[in-house]
Amino acid sequence: MKYIYSIVIAFVLSLNSVHAEDKANISAVLDQLHDAASKADWPRYFALYTDDGVFLGTDAGERWDKPTFKAYAAQSNGWTYTMTERNIDLTPDGDHAWFDELLVNAKYGTSRGTGILIRTPSGWKIAQYHLVFPIPNDLAEGITQQIQTFEARQKSGQN
């Protein structure tokens, strides 16, 4: 019985070790993403995405596939978001991961990035990245009312 118990413990510990290594590799991919964006190194940045990767921006209309996002990025000098906190979880099979991270940007302050990565033959790749501006609960009603007013003006053709 001790032998079986030892095998089970060794197996569980090895899974935790594998997940720890995967989490470190995923974190490195996300760090590379932010570094490449801050330097407008678009070849390196987009190499971190899957071919069918999607970027969801802060505006409700920003759901960009990789070619569309590449075209947008090519017109910019980059953007700098500094990660202050990150959480990474993996599916039981270890082939998919999701994350959330708090970021700081000089212009926008605090934001949150969330997304999904997929294990590929060439390493972890980002399948989806979603950037949002978290709204403090005490400000939410006023901000969401402003958004509703803005959207109503847009629909009616007013600016």
Side-chain angles (χ1 to χ4, degrees), residues 145-158:
Q145 285 178 352
Q146 289 180 48
I147 293 169
Q148 290 173 31
T149 300
F150 175 81
E151 290 173 342
R153 280 197 320 259
Q154 293 295 96
K155 285 181 183 174
S156 69
Q158 299 173 357

Side-chain angles (χ1 to χ4, degrees), residues 21-100:
E21 183 178 335
D22 284 333
K23 286 181 179 185
N25 290 336
I26 291 163
S27 192
V29 167
L30 295 169
D31 289 345
Q32 291 172 41
L33 183 81
H34 296 308
D35 182 64
S38 72
K39 296 172 179 167
D41 183 349
W42 304 128
R44 184 165 61 110
Y45 182 89
F46 287 104
L48 298 168
Y49 279 85
T50 60
D51 290 340
D52 60 351
V54 173
F55 181 89
L56 302 169
T58 56
D59 189 284
E62 295 174 342
R63 185 187 193 283
W64 295 331
D65 60 20
K66 192 172 176 178
T68 304
F69 194 33
K70 275 184 175 182
Y72 169 82
Q75 300 172 30
S76 88
N77 293 321
W79 47 83
T80 301
Y81 287 85
T82 303
M83 185 272 298
T84 61
E85 180 183 320
R86 180 177 290 150
N87 300 289
I88 299 169
D89 294 288
L90 286 96
T91 56
D93 66 6
D95 287 337
H96 304 82
W98 63 95
F99 69 92
D100 63 89

